[in-house]
Amino acid sequence: MTGTRHERPGRAAEAERLRRLFRFFGATQGAGRSPVYETLSEGVAGDDGLLALLLDTPEEQRRPSLLFAAVNLLLASRRDSELAAYYPIHGGRRAVDDHLVPTFSAFCDRHHDELARLLARRSTQTNEIRRCVALRLGVEHVHRHWPGPVAFVELGASAGLNLLFDHYDYRLDGEATTGTGASPVVVSCEVRGSSGAGLLGTPPRITRRLGIDRHPIDLSDLDARAWLEAFIWPEQTGELATLRGAIDLAASTSAASVVTGDATTDTARILGELPGREPVVVFTASLLSYLTTQARAAFVAQLHEAARLRPVAWVFAEAPGLLATTALDVAALRGPLARRNSLYLVGASLRGADHHHDRLLGLADPYLRWFAPARDPADDFRWVPAD
Ligand SMILES: C[S@@+](CC[C@H](N)C(=O)[O-])C[C@H]1O[C@@H](n2cnc3c(N)ncnc32)[C@H](O)[C@@H]1O
């Protein structure tokens, strides 16, 4: 893309910020995972025309994941385009080479108006099914303390694909670990620092399951499904198959639903309205980063209020620095662990009317590609090297 526009001072500074943002994204997210996005991130950072496209969109929409998803969405219906040849998820087989960035740039130029519309209106919408590994580990921990059935609520549930976590098969370190072996969804995860044997047992009976999201994804809407798929990265053919399997499974059952609600204001009310007296497992994965400090405090207050009526276990997969602001009673979060925000902590907070018992269960890659189980209750994970 070769747009040359006279940059106003504020615009030039914002362009610089975007260059840094894309380079950071390429180095921290793309490197080692997606040669296509790693190369394109660098390419966008060095292309004034592509930066101009982003500068013309609302500020909060200027995100690498959003630009890449918008392009990916268009490619899904243009599988014979030159750019799609670089995307294995669209049947492409071409390795990254010097033509990738100019091809991407030309594609964006050609579809400028469509991209501008998508970038202006759409929000980041992902549902990372591998995070069910964190959920399974958390539920396992809850089950050891509170045997018996539980109700299950996910806050920030997106399309609600994690709600059927106990319908999936799990494969830890390549070994089939649990499940029927017949599920259309197989969740895989590498285990670091120990073996995966015995980590996942049989999940408890789930009495009811409910998702809450500010902007739930309606899986009966084909457009919404396509947008969810657009967040799958070019090389992630396995992830795309898993996502489609989970979507089909979710669409085939009425056991789980996602309602519109805000975790910071509606949690206590919605949990209070659930029938029964069994404990409720509340799962959050990648929710806290959407909340301001104040909103995080409001969310914790909601959990506290809900736990006055029935036991509530908060199972989380979240960034350490954000968890450190939620008054969890975990000594390790007062040390250097709280600065390892490129990783996620998996843990559980078991809450009653006037107490909570908090425990970190492991450290993981944010997408749960790998998981390092805690070696003891006070583990601060210094032994887990940076990726
Ligand atoms: C990154 S997605 C994670 C989805 C899912 N938990 C997963 O791990 O696959 C975060 C979700 O949180 C939702 N969200 C953000 N703020 C929220 C809030 N205050 N209350 C409820 N949902 C919220 C977003 O709409 C989005 O669907």
Side-chain angles (χ1 to χ4, degrees):
M1 222 177 191
T2 51
T4 47
R5 161 192 298 271
H6 185 68
E7 304 290 347
R8 293 188 298 279
R11 202 170 154 95
E14 177 61 1
E16 264 324 298
R17 186 188 72 81
L18 290 178
R19 277 186 225 286
R20 284 197 301 275
L21 181 68
F22 272 85
R23 291 204 165 108
F24 181 76
F25 182 87
T28 58
Q29 308 269 325
R33 292 189 191 128
S34 170
V36 172
Y37 281 177
E38 186 183 6
T39 307
L40 289 179
S41 299
E42 195 55 43
V44 175
D47 186 319
D48 289 344
L50 286 167
L51 290 173
L53 170 67
L54 289 163
L55 288 168
D56 290 339
T57 68
E59 191 177 340
E60 66 282 5
Q61 300 287 88
R62 297 172 194 156
R63 277 180 278 123
S65 57
L66 207 55
L67 172 66
F68 292 146
V71 171
N72 206 4
L73 181 76
L74 300 188
L75 281 178
S77 53
R78 294 168 179 81
R79 290 166 62 99
D80 53 355
S81 71
E82 205 185 336
L83 182 59
Y86 291 96
Y87 285 60
I89 53 168
H90 299 309
R93 302 166 65 102
R94 184 169 175 173
V96 168
D97 57 23
D98 290 349
H99 295 286
L100 170 59
V101 172
T103 305
F104 181 83
S105 186
F107 184 89
C108 291
D109 227 359
R110 205 170 316 122
H111 301 285
H112 177 278
D113 294 353
E114 263 175 293
L115 284 174
R117 265 196 303 279
L118 288 169
L119 288 172
R121 291 204 213 115
R122 296 296 185 104
S123 58
T124 307
Q125 285 290 15
T126 55
N127 217 173
E128 185 50 64
I129 296 155
R130 273 217 186 90
R131 294 194 183 122
C132 287
V133 173
L135 174 57
R136 279 294 305 266
L137 291 158
V139 167
E140 194 88 11
H141 175 77
V142 175
H143 196 50
R144 273 196 297 275
H145 287 76
W146 297 340
V150 292
F152 174 49
V153 174
E154 182 178 8
L155 304 176
S158 192
L161 299 178
N162 295 338
L163 295 175
L164 295 173
F165 71 101
D166 51 338
H167 292 237
Y168 302 158
D169 288 341
Y170 290 80
R171 205 168 257 283
L172 299 186
D173 274 343
E175 298 288 326
T177 310
T178 171
T180 59
S183 174
V185 182
V186 181
V187 184
S188 331
C189 178
E190 175 198 338
V191 179
R192 294 195 174 168
S194 95
S195 107
L199 275 182
L200 302 180
T202 305
R205 185 169 70 80
I206 307 295
T207 54
R208 49 189 52 80
R209 41 193 105 213
L210 179 69
I212 300 172
D213 200 286
R214 249 183 350 194
H215 306 292
I217 298 175
D218 174 6
L219 290 176
S220 65
D221 175 351
L222 292 183
D223 198 35
R225 280 168 78 141
W227 183 238
L228 196 59
E229 289 186 8
F231 283 88
I232 298 288
W233 289 19
E235 300 82 356
Q236 295 180 328
T237 47
E239 274 83 350
L240 183 59
T242 305
L243 178 67
R244 287 182 174 161
I247 290 175
D248 290 345
L249 197 60
S252 71
T253 168
S254 55
S257 57
V258 184
V259 297
T260 304
D262 191 313
T264 66
T265 52
D266 300 326
T267 300
R269 176 182 56 77
I270 293 175
L271 264 59
E273 287 168 3
L274 286 179
R277 299 168 69 93
E278 68 280 20
V280 186
V281 171
V282 171
F283 181 50
T284 75
S286 218
L287 172 73
L288 296 186
S289 59
Y290 287 74
L291 309 183
T292 60
T293 310
Q294 239 176 355
R296 286 197 293 278
F299 158 67
V300 173
Q302 291 279 319
L303 288 181
H304 187 68
E305 198 182 326
R308 285 175 202 262
L309 298 179
R310 65 200 285 178
V312 171
W314 173 30
V315 172
F316 51 79
E318 303 280 359
L322 299 177
L323 285 167
T325 66
T326 61
L328 283 174
D329 185 15
V330 174
L333 279 173
R334 295 190 277 279
L337 179 60
R339 291 193 291 277
R340 299 189 72 175
N341 286 318
S342 59
L343 297 174
Y344 274 11
L345 278 169
V346 176
S349 172
L350 273 57
R351 294 168 173 251
D354 51 14
H355 64 281
H356 54 105
H357 174 257
D358 306 334
R359 175 83 192 264
L360 299 184
L361 303 171
L363 190 66
D365 148 75
Y367 305 99
L368 265 291
R369 291 189 181 94
W370 60 262
F371 173 78
R375 292 182 164 171
D376 58 65
D379 199 346
D380 68 358
F381 303 99
R382 272 175 224 238
W383 60 272
V384 180
D387 232 358

